[in-house]
């Protein structure tokens, strides 16, 4: 092995790139908003950082965040200009309790001096973009999973949980682990009749094996390709990277975005701030600020390293439809049209596709049909209900000025206030049992938009409008299949054929160095059969006083992938406030295995499969494991929100895929079976940081025990960022490098979690 070959090691060391390592666009933005970095530290994927985001948005969950904020002893928001509050989720609800909550949020916002947007003004994510809070080259977070949308304008947007939001309110900062970064290269140009919505629906369906799960995505392509994707299409694509499983979806700051920004700045200068704006829009959108942005424009470095490379030829795409009831199922529209699928409800709503351009595309379907109807707008099909809600009030006003809003009203559409509404199963027009709906929104999991006995499809605005007009899944007929079409071209890599690839000497050297770096890192990480894993003193992690330098114990193995938060902590206890620690320990993992409580002991090391802790955002999934006196969880990978909740509640976690592999090879050789069970939207997710529901839990077909004591010993050396595994008495021992747990995260865990850390900061 290279690790044991001094000659190879010397050669690779000489090729190792400089300290100023090439960075992706994601890493560059994180670098800008990270606090306390060591001198000459260049952040990279896998690093834990202390973040001070440019902006933080909360919506209807602002009041729960405020209660958490006050419960930790905070009274004044650290930086009011950092915070944006919007009311958008349950805007149709006129109950006394909801109106009271809305009043509490508005009064709190005004008292704290933060920018506030009331119910009916629009969906928070759209407000963040159109009002200039999501600014290119910055980092913005929100207590909602669709904050990925900000990437459509070159702003790194990613979700946080409520505890993080409260921390940002109180201290201006929180923590983040930079995820692995995937590069998605677009080639070709988008054909007429194909939209950004078709792009992301196709991506979700064509790459449907969790290729980008918990990744940050960067979209790229040559100028001609990117010019075929206007900003509104980019926003739709970035928005639904959430459903694709990613934590962000970032587009470059290019000429298309520059043109959009110049238009916004000119409009802000001409019309000043509207009554619906909070603060002065022209202070955020102005040409002087844009000049500075473009002068110091961020872009990914040549030679930047990505975890994965995928490509999609846009010119081979056609209109696509997602579903029913899954974003992982995507079908070309023409195949569904031939099936004569009747619909009951159609929806042009949500932050995904309800901007003025989307409303115009839908209205064009009816306007075109009017030409064959003596100039009269035709009515939607009998028995079909068609609901429209703009992404924001300004977008609705723009559609009204163009006559698009009225055209859809004339066709029989039912208008709803600008807000989330049916997209999240709130308010008017929800799907009833047995019904079929088609929507321009972002999620179609069972029960998301109404009954779990209904079927939901996703499509572009024009396909939704055409379907409402004809009473069945239909298109407007704008797309023509190109001659010689032979299917969608996509796959791994950058999509450039080797025979067409031309690179400079400089690029060739960069490629060689990048490959050498990968070999060095691989050699550093692999230490097997007792091989020593070297680490220089300068590469050691500082361990704070009082934090354990080593964590060790016997491995208890739960051999399953996609163990969700309900499997870890039963939902029936989630909203009970009087559950004791003893009871939490007793029911921990009980929905996964009722025998877990009697098998697992204090001080054990819990090891599970992949995507552990996926599902809802309940924090008790972490605290129940701690109640069981288990200090650390090892997994092939974690659900992102569980990872956040773990550290926020002082539970340690490490990803060691090789350990899962070795345990399965030893105790349950077959790989997990494929399960096709339908996915259902978790209940009570309406105002939480809801993630896409997890894949069904999978377990190897020949597993005899869901939970087993292995007799294997596990040691995590925090200082050396290294784990050691003893495979049973007399068995082989191996070591492996793992991600560093830096002092800023140690401090949160040592203090008992993020809330206690914030309280200490406030008291200090």
């Amino acid at each position: 092995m290279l690790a044991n070959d001094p000659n190879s090691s010397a050669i690779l060391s000489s090729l190792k790139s400089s300290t100023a390592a090439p960075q992706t666009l994601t890493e560059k933005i994180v670098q800008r908003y990270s606090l306390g970095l060591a001198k000459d530290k260049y952040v990279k994927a896998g690093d834990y950082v202390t973040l001070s985001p440019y902006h933080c948005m909360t919506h209807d969950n602002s009041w729960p965040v405020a209660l958490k904020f006050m419960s930790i002893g905070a009274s004044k928001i650290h930086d009011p200009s950092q915070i944006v509050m919007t009311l958008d989720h349950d805007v149709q609800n006129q109950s006394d309790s909801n109106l009271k909550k809305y009043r509490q949020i508005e009064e709190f916002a005004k008292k704290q001096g933060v920018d506030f947007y009331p119910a009916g003004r629009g969906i928070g994510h759209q407000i963040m973009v159109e009002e200039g809070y999501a600014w290119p080259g910055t980092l913005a977070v929100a207590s909602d999973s669709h904050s990925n949308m900000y990437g459509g304008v070159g702003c790194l947007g990613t979700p946080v949980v409520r505890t993080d939001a409260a921390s940002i309110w109180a201290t201006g900062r929180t923590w983040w682990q930079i995820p692995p970064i995937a590069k998605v290269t677009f080639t070709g140009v988008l054909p007429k009749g194909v939209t950004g919505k078709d792009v992301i629906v196709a991506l979700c369906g064509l790459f449907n094996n969790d290729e980008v799960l918990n990744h940050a995505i960067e979209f790229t392509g040559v100028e001609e390709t990117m010019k075929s994707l206007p900003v509104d299409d980019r926003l739709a694509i970035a928005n639904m990277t959430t459903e694709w499983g990613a934590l962000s979806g970032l587009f470059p700051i290019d000429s298309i975005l520059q043109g959009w920004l110049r238009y916004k700045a000119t409009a802000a200068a001409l019309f000043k701030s509207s009554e619906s704006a909070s603060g002065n829009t022209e202070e955020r959108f102005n040409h002087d600020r844009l000049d500075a942005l473009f002068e110091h424009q961020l872009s990914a470095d040549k030679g930047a390293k990505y975890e994965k490379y995928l490509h999609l030829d846009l010119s081979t795409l056609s209109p696509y439809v997602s579903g029913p009831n899954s974003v992982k199922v995507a079908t070309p529209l023409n195949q569904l049209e031939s099936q004569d699928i009747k619909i009951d409800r159609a929806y042009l709503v949500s932050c995904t596709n309800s901007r003025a351009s989307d409303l115009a595309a839908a209205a064009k379907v009816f306007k075109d049909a009017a030409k064959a109807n003596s100039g009269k707008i035709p009515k939607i099909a009998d028995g079909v209900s068609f609901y429209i809600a703009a992404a924001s009030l300004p977008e609705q006003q723009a559609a009204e000025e163009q006559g698009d809003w009225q055209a859809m009203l004339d066709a029989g559409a039912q208008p709803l206030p600008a807000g989330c509404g049916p997209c999240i199963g709130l308010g008017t027009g929800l799907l009833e049992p047995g019904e079929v709906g088609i929507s321009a929104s972002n999620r179609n999991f069972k029960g998301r938009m109404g009954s779990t006995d209904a079927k939901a499809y996703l499509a572009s605005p024009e396909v939704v409008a055409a379907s409402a007009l004809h009473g069945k899944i239909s298109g407007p007929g704008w797309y023509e299949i190109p001659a010689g079409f032979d299917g969608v071209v996509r796959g791994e890599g950058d999509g450039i054929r080797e025979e067409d690839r031309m690179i400079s000497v400089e690029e060739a050297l960069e490629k060689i160095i990048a490959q050498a770096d990968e070999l060095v890192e691989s050699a550093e990480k692999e230490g097997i059969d007792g091989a020593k894993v070297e680490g220089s003193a300068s590469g050691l992690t500082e361990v704070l006083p009082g934090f354990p330098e080593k964590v060790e114990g016997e491995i208890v193995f739960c051999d399953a992938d996609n163990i969700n938060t309900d499997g870890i902590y039963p939902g029936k206890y989630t909203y009970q406030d009087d559950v004791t620690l003893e009871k939490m320990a007793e029911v921990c993992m009980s929905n996964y295995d009722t025998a877990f409580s009697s098998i697992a002991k204090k001080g054990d090391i819990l090891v599970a499969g992949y995507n552990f802790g996926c599902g809802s955002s309940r924090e008790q999934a972490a605290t129940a494991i701690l109640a069981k006196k288990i200090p650390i969880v090892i997994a092939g990978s974690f659900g992102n929100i569980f990872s956040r909740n773990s550290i926020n509640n002082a539970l340690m976690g490490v990803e060691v895929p090789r350990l899962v592999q070795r345990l399965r090879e030893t105790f349950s050789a077959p790989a997990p079976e494929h399960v096709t069970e339908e996915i259902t939207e978790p209940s009570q997710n309406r105002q939480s940081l809801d993630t896409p529901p997890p894949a069904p839990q999978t377990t190897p077909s020949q597993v005899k025990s869901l939970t087993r004591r292995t007799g294997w010993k596990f040691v995590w050396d925090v200082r050396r960022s290294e784990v050691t595994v003893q495979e049973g008495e007399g068995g082989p021992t191996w070591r492996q490098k793992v991600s560093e747990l830096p002092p800023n995260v140690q401090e949160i865990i040592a203090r008992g979690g993020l809330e206690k850390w914030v309280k200490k900061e406030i008291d200090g």
Side-chain angles (χ1 to χ4, degrees):
M1 290 188 60
L2 286 170
N4 300 322
D5 183 348
N7 294 323
S8 298
S9 297
I11 294 170
L12 294 177
S13 178
S14 69
L15 288 172
K16 190 82 171 176
S17 56
S18 65
T19 304
Q23 289 181 304
T24 66
L25 180 56
T26 299
E27 290 164 342
K28 283 191 171 184
I29 294 175
V30 175
Q31 182 91 28
R32 280 187 169 185
Y33 290 90
S34 295
L35 303 177
L37 295 178
K39 183 182 179 182
D40 297 327
K41 166 67 177 176
Y42 287 83
V43 302
K44 62 183 184 302
D47 286 348
Y48 287 91
V49 294
T50 298
L51 277 183
S52 179
Y54 184 58
H55 282 298
C56 172
M57 187 272 285
T58 56
H59 48 62
D60 290 32
N61 58 23
S62 295
W63 189 242
V65 173
L67 293 176
K68 187 175 286 289
F69 170 81
M70 292 183 285
S71 73
I72 56 182
S75 59
K76 183 174 176 56
I77 286 179
H78 176 79
D79 179 4
S81 68
Q82 189 182 29
I83 310 303
V84 181
M85 296 185 192
T86 67
L87 300 179
D88 61 5
H89 270 50
D90 205 10
V91 297
Q92 297 177 46
N93 184 353
Q94 298 299 304
S95 68
D96 290 342
S97 60
N98 193 58
L99 294 178
K100 177 183 177 182
K101 182 179 71 175
Y102 277 10
R103 285 195 303 272
Q104 289 172 320
I105 293 171
E106 182 171 7
E107 290 168 1
F108 182 84
K110 289 181 177 179
K111 179 181 177 182
Q112 295 289 339
V114 305
D115 286 359
F116 170 79
Y117 293 83
R121 169 56 178 80
I123 301 172
H125 300 306
Q126 176 63 26
I127 290 170
M128 290 287 285
V129 169
E130 71 184 25
E131 288 294 333
Y133 298 106
W135 190 254
T138 69
L139 188 149
V141 300
S143 57
D144 185 276
S145 54
H146 285 105
S147 44
N148 294 29
M149 188 178 103
Y150 313 151
V153 292
C155 169
L156 180 58
T158 195
V160 294
V161 296
R162 296 179 187 182
T163 302
D164 295 309
S167 173
I168 294 168
W169 286 13
T171 69
R173 60 195 192 275
T174 188
W175 67 274
W176 199 48
Q177 184 180 24
I178 306 173
I181 304 167
K183 183 178 184 178
V184 177
T185 301
F186 292 137
T187 59
V189 295
L190 210 58
K192 179 182 177 182
V194 183
T195 70
K197 183 59 164 284
D198 298 308
V199 173
I200 189 60
V201 166
L203 285 171
C204 289
L206 298 174
F207 296 98
N208 61 2
N209 291 311
D210 294 336
E211 286 90 343
V212 296
L213 180 66
N214 293 333
H215 282 61
I217 297 174
E218 292 185 15
F219 295 104
T220 188
V222 299
E223 185 175 7
E224 181 185 15
T225 295
M226 301 309 283
K227 280 185 175 179
S228 72
L229 290 171
V231 167
D232 283 0
D233 278 346
R234 298 178 184 199
L235 291 169
I237 293 169
N239 181 290
M240 275 191 68
T241 56
T242 300
E243 279 63 44
W244 200 14
L247 299 178
S248 64
L250 187 60
F251 277 84
I253 305 170
D254 60 6
S255 60
I256 295 297
L257 179 59
Q258 289 178 11
W260 182 86
L261 291 167
R262 290 293 186 191
Y263 167 79
K264 293 287 290 183
T266 299
L270 289 174
F271 303 110
K272 301 299 179 181
S273 296
S274 66
E275 293 181 0
S276 58
S278 182
N280 297 316
T281 306
E282 62 269 24
E283 291 181 1
R284 294 185 290 272
F285 281 113
N286 62 74
H287 290 289
D288 289 341
R289 191 180 185 201
L290 291 179
D291 290 341
L293 171 68
F294 302 150
E295 184 179 351
H296 305 286
Q297 186 169 307
L298 287 180
S299 61
D301 290 326
K302 288 184 178 180
K305 290 175 56 178
Y306 294 86
E307 180 72 18
K308 291 183 180 176
Y309 297 83
L310 303 174
H311 69 88
L312 175 69
D313 185 346
L314 300 183
S315 62
T316 65
L317 276 185
S318 64
Y320 264 77
V321 177
S322 171
N325 297 345
S326 174
V327 294
K328 292 192 173 186
V329 178
T331 308
L333 172 64
N334 61 355
Q335 293 183 24
L336 293 183
E337 284 181 304
S338 64
Q339 297 177 28
D340 197 36
I341 301 172
K342 305 293 184 184
I343 68 162
D344 301 286
R345 300 178 192 266
Y347 306 87
L348 182 49
V349 299
S350 87
C351 54
T352 316
N353 277 120
S354 288
R355 283 168 280 280
S357 62
D358 302 311
L359 301 170
K364 187 177 185 300
V365 172
F366 298 103
K367 291 179 178 180
D368 286 353
K371 297 174 183 177
N373 192 40
S374 303
K376 184 179 180 181
I377 296 290
K379 294 293 184 181
I380 58 177
D382 291 340
V384 174
S385 297
F386 180 32
Y387 305 93
I388 59 174
S392 70
L393 194 56
E395 296 294 317
Q396 179 176 329
Q397 291 167 344
E400 290 171 342
E401 291 171 2
Q402 296 299 317
D404 297 326
W405 192 260
Q406 189 59 48
M408 289 186 285
L409 295 181
D410 291 344
Q414 300 179 44
L416 300 174
C420 301
C423 174
I424 53 168
L426 293 172
T428 301
L430 305 188
L431 287 170
E432 299 290 341
E435 290 187 336
V436 176
I438 188 166
S439 176
S441 54
N442 44 40
R443 281 195 189 151
N444 59 349
F445 307 123
K446 286 186 68 175
R448 170 74 176 183
M449 300 181 68
S451 171
T452 56
D453 294 322
K455 290 183 178 179
Y457 294 85
L458 303 178
S460 66
E462 47 263 56
V463 169
V464 169
S467 300
L469 179 62
H470 299 295
K472 60 182 181 179
I473 294 180
S474 308
W478 301 341
Y479 171 75
E480 295 181 3
I481 298 178
F485 176 75
D486 192 29
V488 178
V489 176
R490 85 281 187 181
E492 297 183 356
D494 59 12
I496 302 175
R497 297 182 305 176
E498 288 304 317
E499 57 266 33
D500 296 334
R501 191 183 304 278
M502 295 181 65
I503 61 175
S504 65
V505 173
E506 179 187 20
E507 289 171 328
L509 286 172
E510 287 176 350
K511 185 175 181 180
I512 291 172
I513 291 172
Q515 291 172 340
D517 284 353
E518 290 177 4
L519 288 172
V520 172
E521 289 180 8
S522 176
E524 288 175 347
K525 288 181 179 179
E526 293 183 8
I528 61 176
D529 298 328
K532 185 177 180 181
V533 182
E534 299 293 344
S536 65
S538 60
L540 297 178
T541 300
E542 178 188 356
V543 178
L544 296 182
F547 194 88
E549 290 197 14
K550 292 185 178 181
V551 180
E552 53 190 299
E554 181 181 346
I555 292 173
V556 170
F557 186 34
C558 293
D559 191 1
D561 296 334
N562 304 311
I563 298 178
N564 64 32
T565 49
D566 189 65
I568 301 168
Y569 188 75
K572 64 182 179 181
Y573 299 105
T574 302
Y575 296 96
Q576 296 181 23
D577 296 328
D578 57 351
V579 181
T580 64
L581 287 177
E582 290 75 17
K583 185 64 176 179
M584 292 182 76
E586 177 188 332
V587 303
C588 177
M589 301 292 289
S590 60
N591 273 4
Y592 163 72
D593 181 10
T594 55
F596 178 87
S597 180
S598 60
I599 296 173
K601 308 297 182 185
K602 176 181 178 181
D604 282 341
I605 307 295
L606 172 59
V607 179
Y610 292 84
N611 205 21
F612 182 79
C614 52
S616 72
S617 59
R618 68 190 66 164
E619 295 188 348
Q620 295 97 324
T623 55
I625 294 172
L626 286 171
K628 186 65 177 169
K629 305 296 185 184
I630 293 174
I632 187 171
V633 180
I634 313 299
S637 62
F638 292 100
N640 176 63
I641 291 181
F642 179 83
S643 288
R644 294 208 65 81
N645 281 333
S646 293
I647 290 177
N648 286 350
N649 289 279
L651 175 67
M652 294 178 283
V654 181
E655 293 185 354
V656 189
R658 185 173 169 228
L659 176 56
V660 177
Q661 178 186 345
R662 288 292 301 130
L663 286 165
R664 284 180 170 166
E665 288 171 352
T666 304
F667 296 107
S668 53
E673 295 179 330
H674 178 66
V675 180
T676 57
E677 173 189 335
E678 288 186 298
I679 299 170
T680 302
E681 178 78 5
S683 62
Q684 301 192 24
N685 256 8
R686 303 309 181 202
Q687 293 177 24
S688 69
L689 173 64
D690 50 343
T691 57
Q697 179 182 302
T698 57
T699 55
S701 56
Q702 296 180 18
V703 170
K704 297 178 181 178
S705 302
L706 291 173
T707 306
R708 71 167 70 238
R709 300 196 69 82
T710 63
W712 291 23
K713 301 298 182 183
F714 178 93
V715 180
W716 177 29
D717 188 326
V718 178
R719 184 178 297 279
R720 294 185 177 276
S721 301
E722 173 186 305
V723 298
T724 301
V725 176
Q726 169 74 46
E727 296 186 359
E729 188 174 350
T733 297
W734 51 270
R735 298 174 183 171
Q736 180 177 316
K737 287 286 187 181
V738 294
S739 296
E740 178 189 33
L741 190 73
N744 61 327
V745 179
Q746 294 176 33
E747 185 178 10
I748 293 171
I749 295 173
R751 288 185 178 176
L754 188 60
E755 288 187 31
K756 292 180 180 178
W757 176 87
V758 172
K759 183 172 177 56
K760 183 74 173 178
E761 292 294 301
I762 294 171
D763 293 343

